[in-house]
Amino acid sequence: MSRVSRGFKIFGWVIKFLFTLLVAVVCGMLLWRIFSSSDPKSMRTLSVNDGIYEAYGESDGELYIFRQEQNTITRAEHNAGYFSITKAIFVPEANQVQVVLKYNNSTIRHLKEDYSLEEMPEKSDDLFDVSLFFAVDLTPENTEDNDVLSEEGTRTFRCSSEQVMKDEKNLYNYRKFVFDLDECGEELAELLDSGLLLAVYADIYYNEDMKLDEEAYGTLCLYDYATEKETVKLSSEERKAIEAWVPKE
């Protein structure tokens, strides 16, 4: 074999090796991004409290939980990609909704710019609050106005939340909120059974700008009357956590 042929062969091996290495690196980065963006365990499981414990017992362990497939990321021009709701589950028998808010570090940078803050907020700071906005049908005989909010055709109310947990994973920050509709004088099961609940929205506010009568920093729909409900089954770990719960006296 001539030196030229041998040189071309070695060059071909080098190119093949570099190409294989590049593919491996790209695949590794994609896999890292996929796994790193998944919710931490603390955010994936049901948060247990007295309401969940009591409803679980009353249902003989067959607690009904559901979710809907909705848009999970804010896409408006002023907040595109700022926020994501990675989990929103409805527990009618416990009169609760549980929501997980996710945002990355770039959202904190945008917050600093949008509100002209002097200093960059810390990742560990509780920067955002989530409020649920409910729309209830007042004119069930008229289905043509179901997608329009109006004083004549819609009753609305807002339910505040309690932040129960926070976590972070790589570039992402997580906050879990529990909404107890008892506190706002409403019954989720009755609203659903009546067929009058039109929609539920998660409004996200900067904690230092909690003007609930004005447009939220970000809004995502969690429920609408036309989308199919998906039953969420309790895991064995969640069942054990509920059964081990000690109610407050």
Side-chain angles (χ1 to χ4, degrees), residues 34-50:
I34 291 172
F35 288 113
S36 66
S37 62
S38 62
D39 290 2
K41 185 178 180 180
S42 62
M43 297 291 127
R44 295 196 302 267
T45 56
L46 177 76
S47 284
V48 183
N49 48 53
D50 285 358

Side-chain angles (χ1 to χ4, degrees), residues 49-55 89-99 130-132 134 157-164 177-189 191 248:
N49 48 53
D50 285 358
I52 295 294
Y53 176 82
E54 292 171 7
I89 56 173
F90 295 77
V91 194
E93 294 158 308
N95 208 25
Q96 288 184 15
V97 182
Q98 298 194 8
V99 173
V130 178
S131 173
L132 293 192
F134 291 74
F157 65 90
R158 190 175 292 279
C159 191
S160 60
S161 60
E162 177 187 358
Q163 181 181 305
V164 297
F177 298 89
V178 171
F179 299 84
D180 186 346
L181 272 69
D182 286 341
E183 297 182 1
C184 49
E186 300 286 344
E187 289 292 335
L188 180 59
L191 291 171
K248 298 176 183 177

Side-chain angles (χ1 to χ4, degrees), residues 18-243:
L18 291 176
F19 179 76
T20 302
L21 180 62
L22 177 62
V23 171
V25 169
V26 171
C27 290
M29 290 178 65
L30 289 174
L31 288 173
W32 176 83
R33 188 64 184 267
I34 291 172
F35 288 113
S36 66
S37 62
S38 62
D39 290 2
K41 185 178 180 180
S42 62
M43 297 291 127
R44 295 196 302 267
T45 56
L46 177 76
S47 284
V48 183
N49 48 53
D50 285 358
I52 295 294
Y53 176 82
E54 292 171 7
Y56 180 83
E58 292 172 1
S59 67
D60 294 326
E62 298 301 322
L63 189 62
Y64 173 56
I65 303 172
F66 76 87
R67 63 175 297 276
Q68 283 190 343
E69 191 69 35
Q70 299 282 353
N71 180 29
T72 61
I73 303 175
T74 53
R75 302 184 186 279
E77 184 176 350
H78 66 282
N79 61 19
Y82 278 25
F83 303 105
S84 176
I85 297 294
T86 62
K87 185 172 185 176
I89 56 173
F90 295 77
V91 194
E93 294 158 308
N95 208 25
Q96 288 184 15
V97 182
Q98 298 194 8
V99 173
V100 173
L101 173 69
K102 172 183 175 182
Y103 57 94
N104 60 27
N105 294 339
S106 65
T107 299
I108 301 177
R109 292 195 295 271
H110 288 304
L111 174 70
K112 181 179 182 297
E113 296 170 0
D114 293 342
Y115 280 90
S116 301
L117 303 180
E118 294 184 0
E119 298 180 356
M120 183 71 72
E122 297 292 333
K123 286 181 59 176
S124 59
D125 292 345
D126 293 325
L127 300 172
F128 306 106
D129 186 68
V130 178
S131 173
L132 293 192
F133 181 82
F134 291 74
V136 182
D137 194 2
L138 291 178
T139 57
E141 71 285 352
N142 180 16
T143 58
E144 294 183 358
D145 67 347
N146 284 357
D147 298 323
V148 179
L149 292 179
S150 66
E151 292 184 2
E152 298 79 15
T154 316
R155 177 174 74 89
T156 63
F157 65 90
R158 190 175 292 279
C159 191
S160 60
S161 60
E162 177 187 358
Q163 181 181 305
V164 297
M165 195 174 297
K166 61 183 178 181
D167 207 338
E168 62 181 65
K169 186 177 180 181
N170 299 317
L171 303 176
Y172 300 98
N173 307 285
Y174 297 85
R175 300 292 185 272
K176 183 186 286 188
F177 298 89
V178 171
F179 299 84
D180 186 346
L181 272 69
D182 286 341
E183 297 182 1
C184 49
E186 300 286 344
E187 289 292 335
L188 180 59
E190 289 183 8
L191 291 171
L192 291 166
D193 292 342
S194 68
L196 298 179
L197 184 58
L198 296 176
V200 181
Y201 299 92
D203 285 337
I204 305 155
Y205 290 90
Y206 173 40
N207 270 335
E208 300 300 322
D209 188 28
M210 292 290 294
K211 299 174 182 175
L212 300 182
D213 57 341
E214 297 182 6
E215 182 180 2
Y217 198 32
T219 296
L220 285 164
C221 182
L222 307 182
Y223 170 90
D224 72 74
Y225 69 95
T227 301
E228 183 179 355
K229 302 182 187 70
E230 299 178 10
T231 300
V232 177
K233 294 184 178 180
L234 289 171
S235 67
S236 58
E237 184 177 354
E238 289 171 326
R239 290 182 180 277
K240 290 178 181 178
I242 294 174
E243 292 166 3

